[in-house]
Amino acid sequence: MTSTQIGDVDTQALTDEVIRSFDGTPDTRTQTILTALVHHLHAFVRDIEPSLAEWESAIEFLTAVGQKCDPVRQEFVLLSDVLGVSMLVETINDQHAPGATDSTVLGPFHMTESPTRHLGDTIDEVGNPNHLLVTGTVRNTNGDLLPHATVDVWQCNEEGFYDVQQPDIQPAGNGRGLFTTDELGRFWFRTVTPSHYPIPTDGPVGTLLDATHRHPYRPAHIHFIAHADQHRPLTTHIFVPGSPYLDSDAVFAVKGSLIGDLGTADAGHAAQFGVGVGSPIATVDLVLAPTPSGSADVL
Ligand code: BEZ
Ligand code: FE
């Protein structure tokens, strides 16, 4: 067991006293979480023995993270992402959904509502001719197709920017769409092939990456959130195969199972989906696990 002795003082009594201060917490889960937080946080502080100046800079850093947040900028999400915490939480929760598609991080750019679109629509509102066709299904873990499931999609453009990052250049809703699967659980839409891109670095998280000589790039991907009645929502990506940074994602969010498979449109696809012959086609099958009975599962 790690010693709680610092010089002449045993600091365990302080930790115990703080933990006891939560004895009256009515909600047991809240109490468990706060107890574990104090236990691990005190152990971390004992481990690093910060100077007062270091602790002050830590508080300044967290203050700057909070101050950088606004309705379209989520610096705390970004911090959780670059420290691998978002991915750890996803991985823990995937264990409750055996057989489902792997999940991955939500990221900070799902802050606006996606426009409702019809199957076959393009989500590219700037008229780019290079269409990628995405076709997919939503199924349950028994393999049954799920009609009327919603599939929320968002992605950056070919230059690596989300609409919210370029409000003067991209119309709001560009690269986003909310689709509903047809009677056979299918969805399809047209888009552009997204680029790899750097996560925002003009805030304290960028300073952290700089100070640690880490690059800020994410491999190219399209985000999905699928919802169907009686099923756990799924938040995931498909990654563009061959994209740079698949092996060094700044937010640790690549899982091999999520690297897409790109085919090529033939004349039949061209006629059916309105894409050019030779356009890339990504096929995405989203598998949802059932919601445990009686539970109100939330994202
Ligand atoms: C994203 O994929 O949109 C994203 C995820 C984590 C951090 C920054 C961006
Ligand atoms: Fe993204």
Side-chain angles (χ1 to χ4, degrees), residues 106-107 109 154-156 162 197 218 221 223 237:
L106 175 69
F109 293 120
W154 71 106
Q155 66 166 84
C156 67
Y162 286 84
Y197 63 85
R218 295 218 60 210
H221 57 273
H223 294 259
H237 301 0

Side-chain angles (χ1 to χ4, degrees), residues 79-142:
L79 182 59
S80 158
D81 293 338
V82 301
L83 294 179
V85 177
S86 305
M87 207 47 201
L88 187 56
V89 174
E90 292 294 342
T91 303
I92 289 167
N93 281 277
D94 269 359
Q95 305 314 307
H96 302 304
T101 299
D102 284 335
S103 69
T104 191
V105 298
L106 175 69
F109 293 120
H110 186 254
M111 75 284 274
T112 62
E113 251 179 49
S114 298
T116 301
R117 301 198 194 266
H118 297 110
L119 293 172
D121 280 355
T122 179
I123 62 171
D124 167 40
E125 296 189 0
V126 295
N128 195 306
N130 306 313
H131 278 127
L132 164 68
L133 173 65
V134 179
T135 68
T137 56
V138 181
R139 301 170 188 264
N140 65 20
T141 46
N142 293 327

Side-chain angles (χ1 to χ4, degrees), residues 214-281:
R214 275 176 55 179
H215 77 71
Y217 286 94
R218 295 218 60 210
H221 57 273
I222 303 177
H223 294 259
F224 294 87
I225 297 178
H227 278 99
D229 284 349
Q230 319 287 326
H231 292 80
R232 287 177 181 272
L234 169 72
T235 301
T236 194
H237 301 0
I238 54 159
F239 290 95
V240 176
S243 170
Y245 306 107
L246 278 172
D247 58 356
S248 65
D249 185 357
V251 300
F252 311 98
V254 178
K255 289 176 174 168
S257 62
L258 302 180
I259 300 175
D261 221 355
L262 286 190
T264 307
D266 58 22
H269 295 114
Q272 191 181 353
F273 298 111
V275 291
V277 172
S279 298
I281 305 181

